[in-house]
C-alpha cells in the first residue's frame, strides 16, 4: 500500500482515556472528603472506556479521510485518483452524490465538490477541506 499523502481520522484512540480520567478525578474528590469507593470508581472508569470503544471504532471506520498516491478514501468508499478531473472551482449541483455512502456530509465536516472524468460531480468531505483540496491537487 502506498504512503498516505493526507490522513484525517474520525476519532483518536486517546478518547478511551476520558472515562478512566473522569473516574480518577471522582476518586480523588472522594479521597478529599474522607469516604472512598475505589471499586466503584474502577468499575465506572472501565465501563466508560468499554462504551467509548465502539464509538471510536465506528468513527475511525466511517469518518476517516485518506489520500494515497492512487486513491481517495472517504469512510469505507474509495475513489481512484485517475477518475478525478478537477477539484478547483467546481460547483456543487443539487443532489450530487456524497462520497462515503451518506445522504449528506457528516456534521462538522466541510464539503469539497469534485468533478470526475465522466463529467459528474461528487461531494467529498473533510474537517479541513483546503488541506484535502491541496492533497488532491498534488496527487
Amino acid at each position: 500500500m502506498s504512503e498516505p499523502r493526507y490522513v484525517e481520522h474520525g476519532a483518536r484512540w486517546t478518547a478511551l482515556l476520558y472515562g478512566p480520567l473522569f473516574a480518577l478525578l471522582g476518586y480523588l474528590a472522594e479521597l478529599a472528603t474522607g469516604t472512598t469507593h475505589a471499586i466503584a470508581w474502577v468499575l465506572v472508569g472501565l465501563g466508560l472506556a468499554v462504551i467509548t470503544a465502539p464509538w471510536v471504532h465506528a468513527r475511525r471506520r466511517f469518518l476517516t479521510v485518506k489520500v494515497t498516491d492512487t486513491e481517495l478514501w472517504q469512510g469505507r468508499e474509495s475513489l481512484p485518483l485517475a477518475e478525478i478531473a478537477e477539484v478547483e472551482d467546481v460547483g456543487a449541483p443539487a443532489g450530487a452524490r456524497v462520497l462515503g455512502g451518506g445522504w449528506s456530509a457528516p456534521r462538522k465536516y466541510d464539503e469539497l465538490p469534485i468533478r470526475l472524468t465522466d463529467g459528474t460531480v461528487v461531494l467529498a468531505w473533510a474537517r479541513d477541506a483546503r488541506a484535502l483540496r491541496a492533497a488532491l491537487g498534488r496527487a
Side-chain angles (χ1 to χ4, degrees), residues 5 54 67 80 83 110 132 138:
R5 294 174 179 257
V67 177
E83 292 184 18
D110 296 327
L132 178 61
R138 286 190 307 269

Side-chain angles (χ1 to χ4, degrees), residues 15-24 38-56:
L16 292 176
L17 297 176
Y18 298 157
L21 288 175
F22 169 76
L24 178 65
I39 294 174
W41 284 113
V42 167
L43 293 176
V44 166
L46 287 175
L48 289 173
V50 165
I51 63 173
T52 304
W55 175 82
V56 171

Side-chain angles (χ1 to χ4, degrees), residues 25-39:
L25 289 174
Y27 176 74
L28 292 175
E30 273 194 352
L31 195 61
T33 62
T35 306
T36 60
H37 301 90
I39 294 174

Side-chain angles (χ1 to χ4, degrees), residues 90-110:
V90 178
R97 184 174 71 87
V98 178
L99 295 176
W103 290 101
S104 63
R107 277 186 37 216
K108 299 182 183 179
Y109 285 75
D110 296 327

